[in-house]
Amino acid sequence: MEYGICNLAVIPMRAAPNEQSEMISQILFGEAFEILEWAEKWVLVTTTADNYTGWIGRLQFSMLSHMGWLQLKREKAPLTYGAVTQAWKKSDNTILYLPIASSLAFFEGNSCKIGNEKFEILGPKGDIENFTNTAKSFLNAPYLWGGRTHFGIDCSGFTQAVYRLYGINLKRDASLQAEQGDTIPNLYEANLGDLAFFHNKEGRVVHVGIILKNERIIHASGKVKIDIIDEKGIYSEELKRYTHDFHSIKRHTALLW
């Protein structure tokens, strides 16, 4: 098996090996993956953090040794907590602008080393805020299918990013996240930080958001926003109608404070 690691701020992961294919996710700086298949301009990979599979460009990563991959699996790399963190690429004196929850792989002192490149983190890498403020930092981030950053994010990318900052690794898609955690019987027993899931007409989970206080939910739909939630679903005051049908609530006890 061969391995790779992202040496750019973010790289798109596509459903098929061509530029016209839909972006299904993104790989952030410092994230590792297994290489499954090589194509002319593309590589099929499975991410180490959430076991998600897709195609990335052959020129958009560095190779990673098996020992390095094992080390990253064994020792969690520190994360960036700011919406944007600057990393100075010393070899050519350029700056990378790292999105939130990037991995500072092989971090030592104030630098991380990826492949043959050394990146110095400029300024503080950020501090974790309280949970509500962290979630609200994404407000107005535009909805982007497959996105994972403040500059474009989808519903499950949003919940995954927020939870990751608190040490909980969620799977990539809403339907997969709905299989994790402990089921809460009803909305009235939900706590701040619980995940609420919503289904389509066929009953399949297609949306997820984070429960806030006072019967509110923060979620990515058009943009990251706060709406009303009740036992029927999400009610948009802007649209004056329900937009998502309630399915279930899940709790991760590691998140309890």
Side-chain angles (χ1 to χ4, degrees):
M1 181 65 70
E2 294 179 296
Y3 306 92
I5 187 169
C6 178
N7 62 350
L8 301 178
V10 57
I11 54 179
M13 174 184 280
R14 301 192 181 276
N18 62 76
E19 283 88 352
Q20 290 74 39
S21 177
E22 69 171 332
M23 184 177 75
I24 56 174
S25 190
Q26 295 172 320
I27 300 178
L28 307 186
F29 180 85
E31 292 184 336
F33 45 84
E34 299 179 44
I35 297 173
L36 306 179
E37 180 182 340
W38 293 86
E40 181 182 359
K41 297 181 180 180
W42 300 87
V43 181
L44 183 65
V45 305
T46 295
T47 56
T48 302
D50 57 14
N51 200 36
Y52 210 64
T53 300
W55 293 89
I56 64 173
R58 287 187 65 148
L59 302 179
Q60 296 184 319
F61 67 94
S62 290
M63 295 298 293
L64 179 66
S65 69
H66 180 64
M67 292 300 294
W69 181 77
L70 288 175
Q71 181 179 340
L72 291 179
K73 284 198 69 174
R74 184 175 61 251
E75 305 169 7
K76 286 188 176 181
L79 303 177
T80 61
Y81 291 102
V84 176
T85 300
Q86 295 186 47
W88 172 33
K89 184 180 178 183
K90 291 190 174 183
S91 65
D92 60 7
N93 199 33
T94 56
I95 299 293
L96 274 68
Y97 297 91
L98 312 184
I100 196 168
S102 293
S103 295
L104 301 179
F106 310 110
F107 194 68
E108 186 175 347
N110 202 40
S111 300
C112 54
K113 188 176 182 182
I114 295 180
N116 296 322
E117 297 286 354
K118 196 168 186 180
F119 299 85
E120 181 176 336
I121 306 306
L122 302 180
K125 64 179 184 296
D127 296 313
I128 193 69
E129 296 192 64
N130 72 60
F131 186 85
T132 300
N133 287 347
T134 298
K136 286 183 176 180
S137 77
F138 285 88
L139 283 172
N140 297 309
Y143 184 90
L144 175 65
W145 180 268
R148 296 179 58 200
T149 79
H150 281 80
F151 301 99
I153 201 162
D154 61 26
C155 67
S156 54
F158 167 62
T159 54
Q160 186 188 58
V162 173
Y163 265 59
R164 188 179 183 193
L165 295 173
Y166 292 86
I168 299 173
N169 286 328
L170 296 180
K171 297 179 181 179
R172 182 59 183 90
D173 294 336
S175 59
L176 298 175
Q177 292 179 8
E179 300 171 356
Q180 299 177 268
D182 300 320
T183 301
I184 303 304
N186 56 67
L187 182 63
Y188 302 104
E189 297 183 42
N191 290 336
L192 168 67
D194 288 346
L195 296 179
F197 296 91
F198 306 86
H199 61 247
N200 59 15
K201 292 181 180 179
E202 291 74 39
R204 186 170 66 89
V205 171
V206 294
H207 191 65
V208 61
I210 298 174
I211 296 291
L212 300 177
K213 294 181 178 179
N214 302 318
E215 299 178 338
R216 294 294 189 271
I217 185 171
I218 184 168
H219 65 127
S221 180
K223 62 182 179 182
V224 177
K225 58 184 179 178
I226 296 174
D227 281 321
I228 297 170
I229 183 172
D230 60 25
E231 67 279 2
K232 186 175 179 180
I234 295 177
Y235 182 80
S236 170
E237 291 183 295
E238 179 183 7
L239 299 176
K240 306 300 181 187
R241 63 178 175 85
Y242 284 92
T243 58
H244 299 82
D245 296 325
F246 179 78
H247 180 273
S248 59
I249 299 283
K250 287 296 185 77
R251 177 174 299 161
H252 292 259
T253 54
L255 196 64
L256 296 179
W257 30 76

